[in-house]
Amino acid sequence: MTEPAPTALTRAEWEPQARAHAEAADALTAGHRERAGRAEKHAIEDFLFEYYGVRPSRLRRWHPGPGIVLEDAPEHARWTFYRDGAPGTQVDVDAFLEARGRGLAHIVRLLEATASRPARYGCFGLHEWAMVYRADDERRHPLPLRLGQAGTDAVVEANPIACSHIDAFRFFTPEARPLNQLQPTRETQVAMEQPGCLHATMDLYKWAAKLTPVVPSSLTLEAFALALEVRQVDMQASPYDVSRFGLEAIAVETPEGKREYARRQRDFAERGGALRARLLEALSPISHAVARSAPPRAPREADRVDSDDQRRPMKRIVPHG
């Protein structure tokens, strides 16, 4: 493939960037790392590490993206999808495309399709409620139900359910699935994903991390920070009692709560849309090298992000709520 002319950075130029990135990542993951040292769990924040499967140590690694040559960078030279030689170390785009080109094509299709359609704001976070509808226990989450089981079921039955996101819908209880106005599948994900969905915004982190190192780390970390915010609101609007974390519920069973949820949803859609556009822009120099007409490889149902160093088996967890 034809690559843009590389930009060379001396160690004195790139090392401060790498250090600043690591410090920013450490600040965002400090709570999780401290809890891990005490073998403690956080029912809200730990989701981003458990479901997406990216360790803090990987998040703090600085990747400049394609077209940047790093002088005196033995650390990067040891990482997957880098090549070392004159004049320095850089991302090996050809090796990445050979290994993950079809996955890249699928992700680009999904991001472009999502960006092309209008956002919808009528779901009010009720996907979380549908995950415990008529459940006989609270096996899906360690937090208690704010309204109890009967009250939770009544909210589901009194409100339209309109979830477009397959990775939320697939965790609906069997009784809740027929109540959804939409029936998303893995095969229809590209056709149904829409930018108003909180989880479509949260998944920008998944896609950025999955495409490491051809996505610059600055974008990945920004996507992670946004996903942290989205996750908190998602749980505030859920049927669970989050008061132990000092958070107020967004009572989507009420008109006021629905308005507040939609307001937050619009804000996330706007910010996620801008980040999605920047992610696509970062990928554009290499995505054209993939045969866009070839059938893309759809992600596995429980798609985790592969480690730079090894592939790890998926531990089955409930991702949302």
Side-chain angles (χ1 to χ4, degrees):
M1 62 170 287
T2 302
E3 298 182 31
T7 299
L9 297 178
T10 66
R11 189 171 185 98
E13 291 173 321
W14 68 258
E15 191 172 38
Q17 298 181 50
R19 186 183 307 114
H21 171 82
E23 291 172 354
D26 286 346
L28 287 170
T29 64
H32 173 78
R33 290 183 290 107
E34 290 171 3
R35 289 189 300 272
R38 300 191 299 268
E40 294 179 3
K41 293 288 186 179
H42 192 289
I44 298 177
E45 293 179 7
D46 287 351
F47 163 79
L48 293 181
F49 301 95
E50 294 173 351
Y51 182 59
Y52 292 136
V54 180
R55 297 188 297 269
S57 60
R58 181 184 172 192
L59 188 62
R60 77 192 304 273
R61 287 184 177 183
W62 178 74
H63 301 278
I68 306 295
V69 176
L70 305 178
E71 298 179 4
D72 187 19
E75 308 93 329
H76 290 74
R78 292 193 296 267
W79 296 346
T80 304
F81 301 126
Y82 276 87
R83 68 173 184 262
D84 192 31
T89 304
Q90 61 184 304
V91 174
D92 191 337
V93 175
D94 290 323
F96 182 90
L97 291 179
E98 182 178 355
R100 299 186 182 176
R102 295 185 70 189
L104 169 66
H106 172 82
I107 293 169
V108 169
R109 283 186 178 95
L110 178 62
L111 294 174
E112 288 178 341
T114 304
S116 72
R117 53 182 63 103
R120 298 199 299 269
Y121 303 111
C123 69
F124 303 118
L126 290 168
H127 56 277
E128 299 285 350
W129 300 67
M131 292 178 191
V132 292
Y133 177 62
R134 293 190 180 180
D136 56 6
D137 55 45
E138 295 179 19
R139 64 189 179 278
R140 293 179 175 269
H141 206 282
L143 298 179
L145 296 173
R146 179 167 55 85
L147 302 180
Q149 187 64 61
T152 300
D153 293 347
V155 171
V156 174
E157 292 164 359
N159 291 274
I161 311 297
C163 178
S164 60
H165 194 70
I166 177 58
D167 286 317
F169 178 69
R170 68 190 176 95
F171 287 97
F172 281 24
T173 62
E175 295 84 358
R177 283 176 168 261
L179 302 180
N180 197 27
Q181 295 176 355
L182 306 169
Q183 297 292 305
T185 66
R186 187 64 63 196
E187 292 69 28
T188 62
Q189 184 176 14
V190 172
M192 296 187 70
E193 199 93 314
Q194 54 89 18
C197 172
L198 263 63
H199 294 290
T201 296
M202 199 184 304
D203 279 352
L204 291 173
Y205 167 57
K206 174 170 74 172
W207 304 130
K210 189 170 183 63
L211 295 178
T212 299
V214 299
V215 169
S217 290
S218 57
L219 282 179
T220 303
L221 195 62
E222 187 175 339
F224 175 77
L226 180 58
L228 277 174
E229 291 186 55
V230 174
R231 172 61 176 169
Q232 178 174 302
V233 169
D234 195 44
M235 289 300 290
Q236 286 179 271
S238 78
Y240 303 108
D241 183 352
V242 294
S243 60
R244 71 173 68 176
F245 303 105
L247 299 174
E248 293 185 4
I250 299 175
V252 295
E253 70 274 16
T254 69
E256 295 79 13
K258 286 182 172 65
R259 285 193 293 270
E260 176 62 14
Y261 184 86
R263 183 187 69 80
R264 305 280 191 100
Q265 201 174 19
R266 286 185 173 87
D267 175 64
F268 287 141
E270 180 177 347
R271 293 162 63 191
L275 185 58
R276 186 177 292 108
R278 290 167 56 207
L279 185 56
L280 284 167
E281 182 180 4
L283 294 171
S284 63
I286 63 171
S287 61
H288 73 278
V290 181
R292 301 295 292 275
S293 59
R297 180 196 66 79
R300 297 181 297 274
E301 181 173 285
D303 206 354
R304 284 171 73 92
V305 180
D306 294 328
S307 167
D308 280 345
D309 305 309
Q310 61 184 338
R311 293 178 182 270
R312 295 176 294 153
M314 170 84 179
K315 178 180 71 173
R316 176 154 168 52
I317 64 171
V318 175
H320 304 303

